[in-house]
Amino acid sequence: MEETTIVQSIAPQNIVVIHPGSLNVRIGRASDLNPVSELHAIARRKKVGGQIHRDDILPAVIPKTRELTDLLEDVRLQVSHAVQSCLQSDGRRRYATPPQQIAAFNRRSEPTTVEVPNTTNIVGVSKWIKPESDIVIGNDISSLDPTLDFNIHFPYRRGDFNVHSGPGGSVSAVLADLEAIWGHLLSSKLGLPKPQRKQCRAVLVIPDVYNRQYLKELMTLLLSDLGFGGCFLLQDHVAATFGAGLGVACVVDVGDQKTSVSCVEDGISHRNTRIRMEYGGGDITHIFHWLLCKCAFPYKTCDTRNNTDAMLLHRLKEDFCHVNLDVCGSHEKSFAIQKVQTGIQQYTLMLGDECIVAPLSLFYPELFSMTGAKTSITQKRYSGDSEDPFDDHFIRETGRKGAKENLDTTGGADISAVGELPGAEDDIVVDNLDGGTGTTGVGEFEISPGKLLGLDQAVLQSIDRCPSEDMKRKMYNCVLVVGGGMKFNGIATYLQNRLHLQVPFAYRSDQTDIVMTPKDTDPQLTAWKGASILSCLESSHELWITPDEWKRIGVKILRERAPFMW
């Protein structure tokens, strides 16, 4: 009873919401209007004689073989022809400036050195920071002199732990990085040093397709290492529906390095509908840079592995790219880059349909081949845990065993009849589905490993896996788009049209509603805001898990308290 009183009295300013991503981490109190957003990275001074490891801001590209170059060019032409065949909103045909004309202009364009650029597109560093310690965290990494001996680690890649065979690639190293980054931001940005965190609670926004082993480690990180007085985990798609004020939605979350889709109804993300694809906004940035180079990008020394150049390309993509088919022909654009040695250099370039082709890669995912082979991943049935002996496997097997014994004692029925028991068929179907493809790790398995799904196909496949016709109809009516990787003017209408052409006839009478900026909020913050709202509701009181409970009961408590099927 005493514990309940403590939980009910917790104020929003004592609740911290953490939403980690592959590029940025968003962290703030539930009472804040907006969270602190920082680069989700840490730089550690390299040990003498140690190996060098530097994660780049953008995903790595693979060497372009002849086959890959031909594939990319074929798909680019396919997208360009599809765009050209579209009509403008007034019914007129679209027109395009010849690529040769655009390239000729860009080849003649020379940079000018300026004191104050006449453009808002300026990225860069005026001077390098001189780190006083062996660790640099967050946005300061952008101002770190690349000649210094620092290794750079992003603890999340492609929407999950960045586990690899290089230095700092083990799960324990990733957790150490997370503890350092989150602890630093809690102390420096939120004014919460470790001794004060015992009076606070934490909500961690987790991926919809999650790895249970990682979640166990994150619970220990929050309650033991970071010292919070309680916490709970919340799936990002469920949080997004709370942030948008929607009870039912097919949620499409396009992040920097992953795109995920699932159907959420009344705070539950249906397991069979969850799909995660290994592409996002960072991959679109690479495609945009490739298209810029094809039309003689005047900033010739641009290097996607350089942090400053990567941030510039990211900015140019966000500001220049769109899917507004009424915008035709070529347009002059300008941008500026600031470097420590050369000052501010301003460039002028001409752009045509490159600005439309890059975002449409979401619907033509073969273009993402330039950043390597990818898979689509969905949730696997719980594979069991040595710390949780009475899990759903135990319940299911004892249920079957009891049913068999019951049949034997009530008439000696044939054992094979057990397969006809209510619910047994569902178990068999799901088991076959889970076992039918190769696993990619704990708690995940692949679907369509040979073919990557485009955004519209992923939405259709996710909705098709809904358990009832009524739910499918609801999901076709409302698609919620969140995340920072798809903030392109006009792309909602394009997605709506693509879906409308492919929706099964039985559901076509209803218009698909694409929600991109719910309540006029930034789609990057929808999930964070939703987690803040949920954490303050009276019904959330039963979700909190305290350090004592976690230490005493362990992972078993997640089956009782987690707001999703553990």
Side-chain angles (χ1 to χ4, degrees):
M1 190 67 188
E2 187 183 342
E3 176 63 28
T4 307
T5 311
I6 294 169
V7 170
Q8 287 179 345
S9 64
I10 195 152
Q13 58 266 32
N14 290 332
I15 299 173
V16 174
V17 179
I18 305 171
H19 186 187
S22 301
L23 180 63
N24 297 307
V25 57
R26 293 177 179 84
I27 185 167
R29 300 173 192 263
S31 56
D32 293 342
L33 186 62
N34 290 314
V36 171
S37 182
E38 288 269 328
L39 205 61
H40 200 190
I42 183 169
R44 296 181 182 274
R45 197 179 295 275
K46 185 171 72 69
K47 293 176 181 174
V48 177
Q51 285 181 275
I52 294 175
H53 180 87
R54 290 192 174 177
D55 290 326
D56 296 325
I57 285 178
L58 291 175
V61 292
I62 61 172
K64 287 192 177 67
T65 61
R66 180 67 183 269
E67 292 81 2
L68 178 58
T69 304
D70 290 345
L71 171 67
L72 293 173
E73 190 58 27
D74 287 346
V75 180
R76 183 192 70 80
L77 288 171
Q78 186 185 342
V79 183
S80 295
H81 291 154
V83 170
Q84 280 308 305
S85 65
C86 295
L87 297 176
Q88 298 180 59
S89 56
D90 59 6
R92 290 185 300 166
R93 289 185 65 83
R94 294 188 80 254
Y95 61 89
T97 304
Q100 300 87 343
Q101 188 178 324
I102 292 174
F105 177 93
N106 289 335
R107 282 193 194 96
R108 291 194 303 270
S109 178
E110 293 291 335
T112 56
T113 304
V114 294
E115 288 294 325
V116 181
N118 58 355
T119 175
T120 55
N121 288 303
I122 177 167
V123 172
V125 182
S126 57
K127 61 178 181 179
W128 302 123
I129 60 166
K130 294 180 180 176
E132 296 174 1
S133 70
D134 291 341
I135 291 177
V136 180
I137 288 170
N139 294 344
D140 285 344
I141 290 174
S142 301
S143 304
L144 189 64
D145 188 341
T147 61
L148 295 177
D149 276 342
F150 275 82
N151 285 349
I152 298 174
H153 304 277
F154 280 80
Y156 275 68
R157 293 269 101 160
R158 299 293 180 197
D160 218 331
F161 278 17
N162 182 18
V163 177
H164 54 83
S165 58
S170 65
V171 172
S172 58
V174 169
L175 290 164
D177 288 343
L178 290 174
E179 182 185 354
I181 296 167
W182 297 355
H184 169 77
L185 295 177
L186 287 165
S187 299
S188 64
K189 303 293 183 182
L190 302 188
L192 274 178
K194 191 169 182 178
Q196 292 181 25
R197 293 176 206 155
K198 205 162 189 62
Q199 284 74 49
C200 294
R201 308 276 161 139
V203 180
L204 180 65
V205 181
I206 63 166
D208 247 46
V209 178
Y210 52 81
N211 182 318
R212 289 178 178 85
Q213 188 60 41
Y214 294 168
L215 297 193
K216 279 172 57 180
E217 302 288 358
L218 288 169
M219 286 290 293
T220 303
L221 174 67
L222 291 167
L223 294 173
S224 175
D225 304 327
L226 290 174
F228 281 105
C231 77
F232 70 80
L233 309 173
L234 182 64
Q235 288 170 296
D236 50 7
H237 290 193
V238 173
T241 59
F242 274 91
L246 298 171
V248 175
C250 176
V251 181
V252 178
D253 183 354
V254 185
D256 186 70
Q257 293 191 13
K258 64 101 174 109
T259 295
S260 54
V261 182
S262 81
C263 294
V264 179
E265 183 182 41
D266 298 330
I268 299 294
S269 165
H270 289 270
R271 189 183 65 127
N272 288 342
T273 68
R274 299 175 201 158
I275 305 170
R276 183 171 83 209
M277 285 85 68
E278 296 179 318
Y279 59 75
D283 301 271
I284 298 172
T285 303
H286 268 304
I287 290 166
F288 188 49
H289 178 237
W290 173 64
L291 294 169
L292 289 174
C293 291
K294 288 186 77 66
C295 66
F297 189 37
Y299 177 29
K300 296 180 179 63
T301 58
C302 183
D303 181 1
T304 56
R305 293 167 300 179
N306 177 289
N307 283 347
T308 305
D309 290 351
M311 295 305 282
L312 173 74
L313 290 168
H314 183 74
R315 172 77 68 84
L316 297 185
K317 176 199 69 178
E318 288 193 336
D319 291 348
F320 296 161
C321 288
H322 62 87
V323 191
N324 183 352
L325 297 174
D326 287 349
V327 177
C328 306
S330 57
H331 301 269
E332 270 190 40
K333 304 284 185 182
S334 60
F335 66 91
I337 186 160
Q338 182 167 28
K339 294 200 171 180
V340 176
Q341 302 88 350
T342 56
I344 302 174
Q345 299 272 296
Q346 181 159 312
Y347 292 82
T348 301
L349 79 157
M350 188 177 280
L351 287 171
D353 280 350
E354 294 82 10
C355 300
I356 298 179
V357 173
L360 291 187
S361 54
L362 289 165
F363 304 95
Y364 296 86
E366 295 85 359
L367 284 171
F368 295 130
S369 302
M370 69 169 61
T371 50
K374 296 173 181 61
T375 54
S376 299
I377 302 165
T378 186
Q379 194 75 46
K380 189 184 179 186
R381 181 178 287 282
Y382 190 22
S383 55
D385 192 305
S386 58
E387 294 178 28
D388 186 12
F390 299 102
D391 59 14
D392 60 346
H393 281 288
F394 174 84
I395 293 164
R396 191 164 49 146
E397 291 306 318
T398 50
R400 283 176 172 173
K401 186 179 176 185
K404 288 179 184 177
E405 289 171 354
N406 191 39
L407 283 170
D408 286 340
T409 56
T410 55
D414 185 33
I415 288 297
S416 62
V418 174
E420 304 303 318
L421 287 170
E425 189 179 346
D426 289 342
D427 283 337
I428 292 165
V429 170
V430 173
D431 286 346
N432 286 343
L433 175 68
D434 289 349
T437 51
T439 58
T440 59
V442 181
E444 299 169 353
F445 75 96
E446 296 178 23
I447 56 166
S448 311
K451 179 174 170 55
L452 195 59
L453 295 170
L455 198 61
D456 51 341
Q457 291 299 313
V459 170
L460 292 164
Q461 191 168 126
S462 177
I463 295 176
D464 189 52
R465 294 175 173 205
C466 289
S468 71
E469 299 299 305
D470 183 51
M471 190 191 295
K472 289 180 187 179
R473 186 167 283 104
K474 289 177 183 175
M475 295 302 167
Y476 279 122
N477 280 349
C478 185
V479 176
L480 171 64
V481 178
V482 296
M486 194 172 148
K487 292 166 67 176
F488 304 111
N489 179 32
I491 201 162
T493 305
Y494 192 89
L495 174 60
Q496 188 175 41
N497 293 337
R498 293 273 296 208
L499 291 176
H500 189 65
L501 292 171
Q502 301 173 80
V503 167
F505 186 74
Y507 310 106
R508 241 179 225 188
S509 57
D510 297 308
Q511 182 66 33
T512 303
D513 186 20
I514 309 286
V515 183
M516 285 222 35
T517 52
K519 301 181 178 179
D520 294 325
T521 59
D522 184 340
Q524 293 181 94
L525 304 182
T526 308
W528 184 90
K529 284 185 179 293
S532 301
I533 292 165
L534 178 62
S535 67
C536 298
L537 297 179
E538 197 174 328
S539 56
S540 70
H541 295 157
E542 60 199 45
L543 302 176
W544 296 112
I545 296 169
T546 64
D548 178 58
E549 288 171 325
W550 183 247
K551 201 172 181 181
R552 198 160 32 88
I553 305 170
V555 71
K556 296 188 287 292
I557 200 169
L558 287 170
R559 275 195 296 116
E560 308 294 329
R561 301 272 181 88
F564 51 90
M565 288 297 289
W566 179 258

